[in-house]
Amino acid sequence: TAYTHAFSADGRWLALGHPNHVSLWDFETKKKVKNCVRFPKDSGARELSHRSFAFNKSATQLYIIGGRTPLTVWDLEQDKRSLHLDGHKVALEKVRFSPDGQSAASLDRSGSLRLRTTSTGFCFATLETNGSNFVWSRDGKQLIVARNTRGLRNLFSKDKNNQPSLDFWDVESEKKVAS
C-alpha cells in the first residue's frame, strides 16, 4: 500500500511512499523500476502522516522526509543516498524545491523552515515561521507560509481573529515582509 507520492517535473517518474520503503515507477511504462530507499524499523518512518517527497528539477535527486529520520537525499542515477541532512529538532513535515532547482526548503512540526543549496545540502537560512505548509513564489525570491492550516486548500483562510493566515518571507533577507 502506498500512502504518499510525488511526480518529477517532467512527469516521467513517480515516487510512492510505503510503510518501510520508497518505490520508483516509470509513469510512461506504468512499471516499477526499483525500491530506492528502505527505512530501518527504528527510524520513525512508519509515521506516514509525516512523509513527503520532492524531485529536483532534473529528476536526478529525490528528497525524502519521514518520521524522525533526517532529510535524506537519494541520488537516482547512482541509486544511493548522497546526503543525509540533519538540523531540524523535531519531525519534518514538508520539503519543496525552488523553481530554479538551486535551493530546497524543509519545514518541521515547530514551523522551522530550513533553506539549503541542492548541490551540497548547505543550510544557508533558517526561518522560524510558525507555519504548517508553504510554497515558493514563482521567481523563487519569497516563501509563502501558511500558519495553522491543513493542506493547501486552506492556504487563503483566516484565523479565529479574522486575520490572514499567510506570511510572506523574503529568502535573501530571511525576513517576513508581509502578513
Side-chain angles (χ1 to χ4, degrees):
T1 303
Y3 294 93
T4 191
H5 67 282
F7 278 98
S8 60
D10 63 6
R12 178 169 181 206
W13 301 108
L14 171 64
L16 296 176
H18 304 276
N20 62 355
H21 70 280
V22 176
S23 61
L24 186 65
W25 291 70
D26 183 324
F27 197 69
E28 292 172 6
T29 65
K30 311 292 189 263
K31 297 203 185 288
K32 182 166 87 169
V33 176
K34 60 186 157 191
N35 290 330
C36 59
V37 180
R38 290 218 173 267
F39 297 106
K41 287 184 179 180
D42 64 345
S43 70
R46 292 177 187 268
E47 298 172 22
L48 295 169
S49 62
H50 305 108
R51 169 108 23 98
S52 180
F53 310 115
F55 283 94
N56 67 346
K57 194 172 185 177
S58 61
T60 57
Q61 293 179 325
L62 182 64
Y63 276 48
I64 303 166
I65 60 173
R68 295 181 304 273
T69 58
L71 182 62
T72 298
V73 181
W74 196 263
D75 185 312
L76 295 168
E77 293 175 331
Q78 296 184 19
D79 197 25
K80 67 177 188 172
R81 183 177 69 191
S82 59
L83 294 170
H84 197 67
L85 306 171
D86 291 317
H88 286 280
K89 293 177 178 52
V90 296
L92 293 164
E93 293 282 337
K94 306 279 183 211
V95 61
R96 305 214 195 312
F97 282 92
S98 62
D100 66 4
Q102 300 300 307
S103 303
S106 54
L107 178 70
D108 69 27
R109 279 186 179 176
S110 73
S112 180
L113 236 168
R114 295 180 67 86
L115 302 149
R116 301 175 183 275
T117 60
T118 55
S119 58
T120 65
F122 172 73
C123 179
F124 64 87
T126 300
L127 310 176
E128 299 303 332
T129 70
N130 296 318
S132 58
N133 206 343
F134 72 97
V135 294
W136 288 87
S137 63
R138 188 178 284 182
D139 62 9
K141 293 181 179 179
Q142 291 188 348
L143 287 162
I144 299 92
V145 179
R147 287 179 272 119
N148 304 317
T149 63
R150 298 254 186 235
L152 290 176
R153 69 183 180 286
N154 296 324
L155 196 58
F156 296 102
S157 63
K158 305 263 184 179
D159 68 13
K160 65 183 178 185
N161 297 318
N162 203 32
Q163 296 296 312
S165 61
L166 293 179
D167 292 329
F168 295 80
W169 290 78
D170 180 75
V171 172
E172 186 176 335
S173 70
E174 302 176 30
K175 302 218 182 292
K176 183 167 50 170
V177 294
S179 288

